[in-house]
Amino acid sequence: MTKNVKMWINSKEVDSSDGKTYEDINPATGEVLAKVPIATVNDVNMAVKAARDAFDKGIWPKFPPAERSKILWRLAELIAAEADRLATLETADQGKTIKLSRDSDFEFGIDNIRFFASICRNLEGKSACEYNGLGTSIIRREPIGVVASITPWNYPWMMAVWKIIPAIAAGNTVVAKPASYTPLSTIEFAKLIERAGVPAGVVNVITGPGKSVGKALTTHKDVDMVVFTGDTITGRRIMEQSSKSVKRVQLELGGKAPFIVFDDADLEAAVKGATAAAFVNGGQDCTAATRLYLHENIYDKFISQFLNEVESIRIGDPTSRSTDLGPLVSKSQLENVEKYVQYGLDEGAKLLAGGRRPKLDKPFNNGYFYMPTIFGEVKEDMKIVKEEIFGPVVTIHSFSEIEEVIEKSNDVIYGLGSSVWTKDINKAFKVANALRFGEVWINDHLPLVSEMPHGGFKQTGFGKDLSAYSFDEYTEIKHIYVDLTGERRKGWHYTIYGDN
Ligand code: NDP
């Protein structure tokens, strides 16, 4: 049944002021799931004003950290109690399997909230000191103001957690714009945030196209910071849009992770790791292992085991616990993946598996499913090697020397996730240190923890999600200096007027 959803502004459910909506599709069936408001500029202004007032009137920033922390702990409990309902909603909206949604995204996101609930009581700065011997210097960390959160469709709720929660933990207020394909869990989240005790206006959610609604938000004069996860091209646009009023920007953009396997690695572990890391969330993951670099001595053996393992992946109804791979998020993403597979074929890569849509029974025959796809015999300059495909497509490469694999791995514009598989600790560290990626896993690929930063090098952007580093991004550092001399004419005044 189609649901009419509403935006969440200043603690009220609101339609778009001109009544316009778009259709949100269930990607597993192609059916309309919800009608979603397209915010007008007036609606954007209303949401920013609500966030601005909640900040400027000191409503939220003045809550002591202990109070904010208590509310966030309560929020984590509310989400935990509703996780089944929310994960089901996420799966219907995004297409990811219920296993991934319920057991991974929601479990991890709840832990992320608990982490930020703890760390917000532990603001850090350099110690107070009389650095010049004449006055005391003190560091204060203060919230920045109104934060615009623009999130993608691959992990809709988890990305909302990563952006909204550290922002409000630090005392900021937020206007969130979820991706148009997947707005539902973010709207529900905002309501629960308020139920946990966050005052009205602190978190607002507006919906509609990035190109208009997102642009109005990121160019708004009363927004102080823009945080974004998504495509590198969109990230560049957002930097430009935010530059006019010199907003602080945090960007987590594309990825093209190398997965490097040496000939002394535990081959079975590497094969299983590659299968999970390449096809997680249908490959719609910026850390997904997309380029497998295999030492020439294990190249053939790895491929034959990998093909066997990948064949066991079960595609279909994402709401079933025995499904491993759901649909891609949208028809346009499916067509995008098909376009890249065609590039691969045209450029002479060898298709080893997949390369087509699966045949599924009703109602999934109308969904946006795609088979796990593996290309061998690739060249480093092919589009499928260089560009982010964001689908279940991997390329397989062979190498013989350490220096060679480091160079090839680094030769992309992105720098987010990467992994090295070997039993040789020296080799592992040599490669890990040389990789220009924000995350290097050794003998695993994907694990994230709340305490450690997630973010990229190069054109993956800058700024970190998760960890204390992320929390710090949402604060301004202020230096306060207190004169201790009590002198009217200070010793240094002569440099401006009079004599020494
Ligand atoms: P985008 O990066 O364009 O979308 C991410 C978010 O940005 C969405 O909320 C989108 O809104 C919004 N947005 C788009 N344009 C603007 C703008 N000018 N100003 C402000 N906000 C904007 O991703 P796409 O959905 O277009 O996907 C295209 C490709 O991006 C994928 O094929 C994939 O390669 C990559 N991608 C990477 C992600 C990552 O985590 N690294 C995540 C998602 C996509 P709306 O949804 O309304 O367009």
Side-chain angles (χ1 to χ4, degrees), residues 22 149-155 159 177-182 208-218 226 228-235 237-238 241 252-255 284-287 329 332-333 336 340 388-391 414 416 460:
Y22 71 90
S149 155
I150 313 258
T151 42
W153 40 256
N154 53 345
Y155 292 92
M159 291 305 106
K177 196 213 83 68
S180 295
Y181 293 131
T182 54
K211 288 200 171 94
S212 54
V213 179
K215 186 169 178 190
L217 187 58
T218 53
V226 178
F228 171 74
T229 292
D231 193 26
T232 293
I233 295 169
T234 312
R237 235 172 253 145
I238 283 180
Q241 290 165 193
E252 198 265 271
L253 311 174
Q284 302 166 118
D285 183 311
C286 40
T287 53
V329 74
S332 100
Q333 194 57 22
N336 191 45
Y340 273 99
E388 187 175 48
I389 303 174
F390 234 58
Y414 306 110
L416 187 57
T460 295

Side-chain angles (χ1 to χ4, degrees), residues 221-252:
K221 68 176 177 40
D222 288 334
V223 167
D224 301 293
M225 178 179 188
V226 178
V227 293
F228 171 74
T229 292
D231 193 26
T232 293
I233 295 169
T234 312
R236 288 185 200 126
R237 235 172 253 145
I238 283 180
M239 275 182 93
E240 253 178 69
Q241 290 165 193
S242 310
S243 69
K244 285 212 179 79
S245 52
V246 196
K247 300 183 195 314
R248 188 186 285 210
V249 180
Q250 185 247 20
L251 302 171
E252 198 265 271

Side-chain angles (χ1 to χ4, degrees), residues 1 13 38 66 104-105 124 220 300 355 389 409 437 479 487:
M1 201 178 68
E13 291 192 307
I38 300 177
S104 179
D105 294 11
E124 287 191 341
H220 200 292
D300 292 328
I389 303 174
S409 298
F437 292 80
H479 167 211
E487 289 166 3

